Amino acid sequence: MTESAGNSTRPGNVPALERATSIPWEDWVALFESAGAKTLGHTEIARIAREKIPASVENPDWWAQGAAIAFEQYAGLRVPGQSSTGSFRVSASRTVEMDRDAAIESWAGVVAGLDHHLGHLTTGRRRSRTEKRTFWRANLEGSGVVEVSAVAKDDSRSVVAVEHNGLPDADSIEAWRAHWKELLAQI
């Protein structure tokens, strides 16, 4: 992999991108650098990536986002866990042996008595459901928003994912990841 002074690209992201697109990382870097991507916003960088991704690639928009994020990290435009807006986020997931609605019900039971998460007051708890996913959401005073979603993996299993957006800095990412994993383990 080509190194950059600001390179903080997570090593796992680049090999997955290369496998999915059949495009070596060095070619991605050359493409982005020739397009002046260091001076562009995330949306423009993702558009450049999307144009390069072969038509045979499944979910090309997702991979274009991944390529843009990997380059932004490589170029020092953002660090792992940082969104394009500058805020930070963390995620964790677990596969459970239950349908998606039961998984969210179980999650709600686990967190029902918790008024605070790592010292942040929990407000605005709410649930919703779409055709594909079941959700539980809440605000964390001073630490963003958490969204827990469950999607069916097959007839008897679901993937429960915690997405926590709006962290104030990168220093808290691992503490929050450990917290969410600990709660997911209780489902």
Side-chain angles (χ1 to χ4, degrees):
M1 178 185 341
T2 304
E3 294 296 322
S4 165
N7 188 354
S8 57
T9 304
R10 284 180 270 184
N13 292 355
V14 169
L17 176 66
E18 290 176 320
R19 279 190 306 276
T21 63
S22 298
I23 299 170
W25 178 241
E26 292 76 19
D27 291 356
W28 281 112
V29 171
L31 170 71
F32 291 131
E33 287 181 346
S34 70
K38 287 181 182 178
T39 64
L40 301 176
H42 174 76
T43 302
E44 292 83 11
I45 297 170
R47 282 190 191 123
I48 292 166
R50 180 62 182 91
E51 291 174 11
K52 178 74 171 172
I53 294 177
S56 60
V57 172
E58 189 175 325
N59 205 354
D61 294 335
W62 190 85
W63 285 109
Q65 292 292 326
I69 291 167
F71 179 76
E72 290 165 344
Q73 292 172 354
Y74 166 83
L77 302 174
R78 72 161 96 174
V79 297
Q82 188 176 31
S83 75
S84 61
T85 65
S87 67
F88 291 85
R89 61 181 167 215
V90 66
S91 62
S93 64
R94 177 175 181 224
T95 300
V96 295
E97 298 286 333
M98 58 185 82
D99 70 41
R100 65 189 178 117
D101 293 326
I104 290 298
E105 187 65 33
S106 180
W107 170 267
V110 167
V111 298
L114 299 176
D115 292 332
H116 291 78
H117 291 275
L118 298 185
H120 296 273
L121 180 65
T122 305
T123 63
R125 295 174 198 222
R126 56 212 177 271
R127 294 191 213 182
S128 63
R129 190 178 198 283
T130 66
E131 187 175 319
K132 205 172 175 181
R133 289 181 175 82
T134 304
F135 297 96
W136 178 96
R137 295 178 177 99
N139 304 320
L140 296 173
E141 200 170 272
S143 192
V145 177
V146 64
E147 175 183 276
V148 180
S149 64
V151 63
K153 187 168 186 165
D154 56 35
D155 289 341
S156 63
R157 298 180 301 159
S158 299
V159 175
V160 181
V162 177
E163 295 287 333
H164 183 168
N165 294 297
L167 298 174
D169 56 49
D171 294 338
S172 61
I173 289 174
E174 292 311 315
W176 280 109
R177 186 184 324 275
H179 176 72
W180 297 127
K181 284 185 173 188
E182 180 182 324
L183 294 175
L184 283 169
Q186 296 176 43
I187 297 178

